[in-house]
Amino acid sequence: MAGEPQDDCLFCKIVSGTIPATIVRETGTTVAFRDINPQAPTHVLVIPKAHYQDAAALAAEAPELAADVLRETREVAREEKLESYRTVFNTGAGAGQTVWHAHAHVLGGRGLHWPPG
């Protein structure tokens, strides 16, 4: 069920503390941690503590929580002292989503060219 922890979800396990992560920020509704396969000098994931399959489901079913995630991307960038950064939500396997728990990537610390990928 949407919003409920999933036993087979890597990010739900990070939220519960059963899998370790390098956490950089935590609020009542979100957790931000360093990506284990960084694509930029700064690469932090911001996730809702509640489980939603992807950004589209999160936005449709819990828009206030989606706003919390987006707000936290800004706070991560500020704390990481990024003058510019990119926020990415991959939605679906074809877009590169590999963990089926909504999450935002905060990337910075180098030039990020367009178009990506």
Side-chain angles (χ1 to χ4, degrees), residues 50-85:
H51 182 91
Y52 290 88
Q53 173 174 292
D54 55 35
L58 177 63
E61 298 171 35
E64 303 84 10
L65 184 53
D68 289 349
V69 170
L70 191 55
R71 190 171 19 261
E72 281 303 301
T73 66
R74 178 176 181 248
E75 291 305 311
V76 165
R78 184 184 59 76
E79 287 186 1
E80 295 287 319
K81 298 181 179 14
L82 298 175
E83 292 183 25
S84 60
Y85 62 97

Side-chain angles (χ1 to χ4, degrees), residues 22-117:
T22 304
I23 295 176
V24 298
R25 280 186 61 79
E26 185 169 2
T27 70
T29 59
T30 65
V31 177
F33 54 92
R34 300 213 182 273
D35 194 296
I36 62 168
N37 184 27
Q39 301 301 304
T42 298
H43 189 168
V44 174
L45 302 177
V46 180
I47 67 170
K49 288 183 175 179
H51 182 91
Y52 290 88
Q53 173 174 292
D54 55 35
L58 177 63
E61 298 171 35
E64 303 84 10
L65 184 53
D68 289 349
V69 170
L70 191 55
R71 190 171 19 261
E72 281 303 301
T73 66
R74 178 176 181 248
E75 291 305 311
V76 165
R78 184 184 59 76
E79 287 186 1
E80 295 287 319
K81 298 181 179 14
L82 298 175
E83 292 183 25
S84 60
Y85 62 97
R86 182 171 290 160
T87 302
V88 177
F89 291 91
N90 297 324
T91 302
Q97 185 176 2
T98 58
V99 178
W100 300 99
H101 184 122
H103 57 284
H105 298 257
V106 179
L107 300 142
R110 68 168 170 82
L112 299 168
H113 304 287
W114 197 260

